[in-house]
Amino acid sequence: MMEDEESPLDRKGFVGVDVGTGSVRAAVVTENGELLSMAVRETLTNSKKQGYFEQSSTDIWDSVCSCVKDAVSQSGFSQDEIAGIGFDATCSLVVLDKNAHPLNVCESCNDGYNQSDNNYNSDSCENEKSDDHVWDVILWMDHRATKEAAFANATRHKVLDFIGGSISPEMNVPKLMWLHKHMNDTLFQDAGHFFDLPDFLTFRATGETDRSLCSLACKFTYLDEKTVNLPRSTTTECVQEKMEKEEGEEDEE
C-alpha cells in the first residue's frame, strides 16, 4: 500500500439525526464535514382537539432506524466505518412506563384520564393508530398546559430567571403538571420515564437513561440547589401541590 493511500481502517463516517415536527432526517458526513448522503421519513401526528398534538415514540424510532439505514447504505461507508451518531429533536415529552413501554398521553384513547372538557373524536383517534403506535409523545407545539405554565409564571420564582424570565407551555414542566392533574392516580403511577425527545433517542440507541444538560436545565428547569441556593419549591411536584391547593380554595368559594 502506498504511504499516501488511505487505509479502510482510517475511513470514518458520522451520522446526524434530526427529528423535526413532521419528519425524521438522517445524514452521513465525513470527518471534515462533507455531506455524503441524506434520508427523510415522515412521522405520524394525532390532533383531535384544538391545541393538542401527539406523536408515537415507536413510529419516531422506526423512522429514525429507516433513515439511518438508508443514509448509511447510500454513503459508501460500511457499518463498521461509522464512528459515531448524534441526535437532535424538538422539545417534546416522551412518556414511558416502568418497563420502558409507551404510556398513553391521549385523553380519549383509554380510560386512564380524568376527563372534564373532552372534545376528541375518539373513533378517529383509535382508527389512526395501530397497536404498535401508542400516542405517548406530547409534541412541542401542544398547548394543553397553558394554564399550568401561567400558574408557574405567576410564582415569579427565581428559577424562571434561568430560562428567560418565563416558562412556555411547550416546555416539559407545564406538560408534566398537566399529566399529573389529568391522568388518574393508577396511570400516573405507572409512569417510569419522562424523556425530552433527544434523550429518548439516545436511550433507544444505547439503553442508557443519561440526560443531556440542555434537556435538564432548559426543558426541565433543573438547577443544582447547592450551587444556586434554591429551595425545593423549584420542583414540579411542589408547584403542582400549590396549584391543587389554590384550585381547592376556589372550589370552596
Side-chain angles (χ1 to χ4, degrees):
M1 180 182 296
M2 301 294 292
E3 290 186 4
D4 58 350
E5 185 177 346
E6 186 181 55
S7 167
L9 296 177
D10 295 332
R11 284 168 44 91
K12 292 181 180 180
F14 297 87
V15 178
V17 177
D18 175 43
V19 179
T21 304
S23 65
V24 173
R25 298 167 288 276
V28 178
V29 299
T30 66
E31 288 182 276
N32 297 322
E34 178 187 359
L35 178 63
L36 298 179
S37 60
M38 186 173 177
V40 181
R41 291 290 182 278
E42 293 185 353
T43 51
L44 301 172
T45 299
N46 181 56
S47 180
K48 297 303 175 185
K49 186 176 181 180
Q50 185 175 3
Y52 286 50
F53 298 90
E54 297 135 356
Q55 293 187 326
S56 160
S57 66
T58 302
D59 173 60
I60 291 171
W61 183 248
D62 287 348
S63 296
V64 167
C65 293
S66 178
C67 280
V68 170
K69 288 178 181 178
D70 286 353
V72 171
S73 67
Q74 297 168 24
S75 69
F77 282 107
S78 69
Q79 293 183 15
D80 292 337
E81 293 172 325
I82 299 299
I85 185 169
F87 297 100
D88 183 31
T90 63
C91 177
S92 300
L93 181 67
V94 183
V95 184
L96 306 181
D97 67 17
K98 292 179 175 60
N99 295 314
H101 297 147
L103 195 62
N104 166 54
V105 299
C106 173
E107 281 183 298
S108 66
C109 293
N110 68 22
D111 59 359
Y113 282 81
N114 304 315
Q115 299 179 28
S116 54
D117 179 23
N118 184 3
N119 296 320
Y120 281 106
N121 181 334
S122 59
D123 291 336
S124 297
C125 185
E126 290 292 341
N127 290 338
E128 292 185 12
K129 73 180 185 67
S130 69
D131 292 338
D132 294 329
H133 291 160
V134 176
W135 304 120
D136 62 328
V137 180
I138 301 181
L139 192 59
W140 69 269
M141 61 194 291
D142 185 294
H143 277 202
R144 71 183 68 185
T146 299
K147 184 177 180 181
E148 286 74 15
F151 180 88
N153 288 327
T155 66
R156 298 183 180 179
H157 198 285
K158 186 177 179 181
V159 70
L160 298 172
D161 295 340
F162 294 84
I163 53 172
S166 65
I167 194 166
S168 165
E170 297 172 3
M171 298 302 179
N172 289 325
V173 169
K175 292 173 182 174
L176 285 169
M177 293 168 64
W178 186 94
L179 289 172
H180 186 266
K181 178 180 179 181
H182 291 273
M183 277 182 168
N184 65 33
D185 291 342
T186 300
L187 187 60
F188 192 80
Q189 290 171 8
D190 285 342
H193 303 274
F194 295 101
F195 284 106
D196 193 41
L197 184 52
D199 293 335
F200 165 78
L201 299 175
T202 60
F203 167 67
R204 284 302 307 265
T206 67
E208 300 293 333
T209 58
D210 294 347
R211 266 57 165 186
S212 70
L213 183 60
C214 175
S215 294
L216 288 176
C218 299
K219 314 298 179 58
F220 285 98
T221 65
Y222 172 79
L223 294 172
D224 186 339
E225 295 179 6
K226 294 181 180 179
T227 301
V228 297
N229 194 31
L230 288 177
R232 178 179 170 275
S233 59
T234 59
T235 66
T236 303
E237 179 183 355
C238 195
V239 173
Q240 181 69 40
E241 290 173 357
K242 290 181 179 180
M243 188 172 187
E244 291 173 350
K245 181 180 179 181
E246 183 177 278
E247 290 177 345
E249 292 173 350
E250 290 178 354
D251 292 339
E252 291 177 0
E253 294 176 357

